[in-house]
Amino acid sequence: MSEVMQIGGVDLRRLAQKVGTPFLIYDETKVEQKLQAFRHHFVHPEFETQVVYAGKAFLCGKIVRMVHEAGCGLDVVSGGELAVALHAGMPAGHIVMHGNNKTPQELTAALEAGVGLIVLDNVQECRALAELAQRLQRHVNVLLRINPGVEAHTHEYIVTAHIDSKFGVSAADTKGWEAILKTVEASPWLHFRGLHAHIGSQIFEPQAFEAEIEALGALSKEMQEKGYSVGVWDLGGGFAARYTEEDAPIPVEQVCKTILNACCAQKAALSLDVQKVMIEPGRSIVGEAGTTVYTVGWFKSTPGKEYLFVDGGMADNIRPALYQAKYDCTAVDAPNTPADHTYTVAGKCCESGDILIEQAHLPEMKTGDLLAVHTTGAYCYSMSSNYNHLGRVPVVFAKDGRAELVIRRETAQDFVRLECQEALE
Ligand code: LLP
């Protein structure tokens, strides 16, 4: 006997009748548990620690409030993300501002809001920030984004000079980072606090973080010897989520321990000044908590494939097309029925690459059934597009049998809302 699939105690079929499909639903408890797990385990007697949620993974007022309530900070990468964060009540002092090409407007907004940290990417930006801070008479704490020469991709990581990254300054480019530190030093408004690095995403190898920390240790030592005190290490994000059963992310407790012990060992071995360690998890907080629910439309058999079409696709989840990302799915109305069919789940966008799952193992499906695609909580909504004007999906948070709509569906009215006929010249 099959029951209808539920999330947060909410029946997905009933919810589909209320909000239509496709929709994205978050299990609120899972998000809370992840935030708590990071908060609980990312502690060490040697350091002040801070967990900063990377808003690029998924951002809206609801998640900002949850992050704040859990005692975490927020990482933003644009004026838009900053505005959403402030609007939702995140104290500016808990916000970290990132970006390799922050505009003068974005830097101004960050200064005016009084963000806790701005992460400097390059020397031009640093000069512009010093000028703006002077003009606005605002003090600001800064980190320097370093490219540590460690690059991690899922199950592999490489230690290379990797000198061509668009982010930050290479640890090996002494002249480059010195120029920035001197600019900071020359400004009475900018205050150098430490280093930031981010080595990749969906990382399964704890050794990759250890390599990152070693690189930061060596560089901090070099800086210290030149008279610059590095008090903060912000190690970025990259903690993996489980998309399919092949994925085995490092448990939060273990990855936090590995990181903090490695920091402690570096600090002791090199007599470093570092007092505070930060991390910026994004995907690992929201990824597994999210599920996208589609309605099954038509089917098509080709010599090699049994297509099952759904009423969304690459507009709401670009990750399979962009990264060959793998997803699992469940038949909402028959979650316990044996999966004896193999379908290629394709979206409705005008693009051959609009395939969500190449080989989905499901019971026999029919038109009108609901299909739940798992682990769509990170980088799906935030990377969604208006391609083919399908309309961005609504977002629901569910907990203890209650469901709350936190972002409504984008409709034709929204498409035409921005249109105008305004003479400019
Ligand atoms: N901090 C910085 C500076 C970052 O650049 C990122 C992600 C994070 C934190 C959060 O990383 P996470 O813990 O979520 O891995 N669109 C890609 C992921 C791009 C990640 C970019 N930076 C995807 O869908 O897989």
Side-chain angles (χ1 to χ4, degrees):
M1 219 208 62
S2 285
E3 286 168 12
V4 173
M5 189 181 154
Q6 297 194 340
I7 287 179
V10 174
D11 180 306
L12 294 186
R13 170 135 313 260
R14 264 215 323 276
L15 202 54
Q17 278 153 6
K18 282 198 183 128
V19 296
T21 58
F23 66 90
L24 171 58
I25 179 167
Y26 283 87
D27 186 330
E28 192 167 330
T29 307
K30 280 194 185 166
V31 177
E32 282 168 353
Q33 282 169 349
K34 277 294 168 82
L35 286 166
Q36 289 306 337
F38 273 106
R39 275 280 286 156
H40 183 73
H41 294 298
F42 197 66
V43 288
H44 194 280
E46 186 70 31
F47 301 110
E48 184 190 338
T49 55
Q50 192 183 12
V51 178
V52 175
Y53 168 67
K56 72 204 79 174
F58 171 67
L59 192 69
C60 69
K62 172 76 181 179
I63 197 86
V64 172
R65 287 186 291 275
M66 288 179 69
V67 165
H68 181 42
E69 272 160 31
C72 298
L74 187 74
D75 135 11
V76 300
V77 295
S78 69
E81 287 191 356
L82 176 63
V84 170
L86 293 172
H87 182 257
M90 177 60 76
H94 300 194
I95 297 176
V96 181
M97 179 85 176
H98 281 282
N100 67 302
N101 188 26
K102 303 175 202 75
T103 63
Q105 291 83 350
E106 288 172 324
L107 291 173
T108 301
L111 286 171
E112 281 180 339
V115 300
L117 281 167
I118 294 184
V119 182
L120 295 173
D121 181 87
N122 58 73
V123 72
Q124 285 184 301
E125 174 188 76
C126 182
R127 290 192 195 116
L129 183 67
E131 265 172 42
L132 285 168
Q134 165 75 34
R135 200 177 316 149
L136 298 167
Q137 306 271 293
R138 297 283 179 146
H139 289 277
V140 63
N141 293 324
V142 297
L143 298 182
L144 173 58
R145 176 147 185 180
I146 285 296
N147 163 13
V150 178
E151 205 189 344
H153 295 290
T154 59
H155 293 282
E156 286 170 39
Y157 76 95
I158 42 173
V159 181
T160 62
H162 186 49
I163 46 176
D164 293 324
S165 168
K166 80 163 186 171
F167 295 109
V169 186
S170 168
D173 179 9
T174 310
K175 270 200 187 127
W177 54 254
E178 252 184 321
I180 299 179
L181 294 188
K182 281 186 179 147
T183 309
V184 173
E185 204 173 36
S187 163
W189 304 101
L190 270 45
H191 308 286
F192 176 65
R193 297 294 178 227
L195 302 179
H196 173 277
H198 171 79
I199 55 168
S201 216
Q202 189 66 354
I203 299 170
F204 291 92
E205 294 289 334
Q207 294 88 336
F209 294 109
E210 289 171 335
E212 175 189 16
I213 290 159
E214 244 176 68
L216 283 182
L219 180 59
S220 301
K221 181 79 181 165
E222 205 181 330
M223 289 181 168
Q224 223 171 282
E225 281 167 357
K226 287 181 185 280
Y228 302 105
S229 179
V230 178
V232 178
W233 280 352
D234 181 341
L235 304 169
F239 314 102
R242 187 174 187 277
Y243 286 88
T244 68
E245 54 194 22
E246 282 150 38
D247 296 333
I250 320 164
V252 172
E253 178 174 7
Q254 191 189 327
V255 80
C256 289
K257 258 201 191 124
T258 302
I259 286 176
L260 289 167
N261 288 343
C263 289
C264 196
Q266 283 292 310
K267 177 175 175 165
L270 302 174
S271 309
L272 301 175
D273 293 339
V274 54
Q275 280 145 17
K276 178 171 177 180
V277 184
M278 303 165 67
I279 47 170
E280 301 173 334
R283 185 195 313 273
S284 50
I285 302 277
V286 288
E288 291 166 20
T291 303
T292 307
V293 179
Y294 302 95
T295 297
V296 175
W298 315 128
F299 293 80
K300 184 175 289 181
S301 294
T302 64
K305 287 181 177 174
E306 188 69 32
Y307 279 109
L308 175 163
F309 296 152
V310 293
D311 55 353
M314 65 190 292
D316 60 79
N317 185 357
I318 189 72
R319 299 192 70 261
L322 199 56
Y323 312 116
Q324 292 74 52
K326 303 275 181 291
Y327 286 88
D328 270 347
C329 62
T330 301
V332 168
D333 308 278
N336 306 315
T337 306
D340 51 4
H341 283 61
T342 301
Y343 296 101
T344 296
V345 178
K348 61 183 266 121
C349 290
C350 296
E351 168 92 35
S352 310
D354 181 23
I355 308 281
L356 288 175
I357 306 178
E358 263 309 331
Q359 292 208 314
H361 302 296
L362 290 162
E364 184 169 12
M365 302 291 285
K366 57 182 192 319
T367 301
D369 284 349
L370 297 178
L371 185 75
V373 176
H374 307 291
T375 321
T376 56
Y379 302 108
C380 288
Y381 193 86
S382 61
M383 294 179 81
S384 64
S385 77
N386 243 338
Y387 185 47
N388 295 163
H389 282 50
L390 302 189
R392 286 186 177 78
V393 302
V395 180
V396 174
F397 271 65
K399 183 181 178 180
D400 300 335
R402 285 189 307 275
E404 182 188 11
L405 184 68
V406 303
I407 305 178
R408 64 171 178 77
R409 185 181 303 284
E410 196 174 31
T411 65
Q413 277 141 26
D414 296 309
F415 303 148
V416 296
R417 191 168 39 102
L418 301 178
E419 288 186 13
C420 55
Q421 267 193 304
E422 259 177 42
L424 287 176
E425 283 191 48

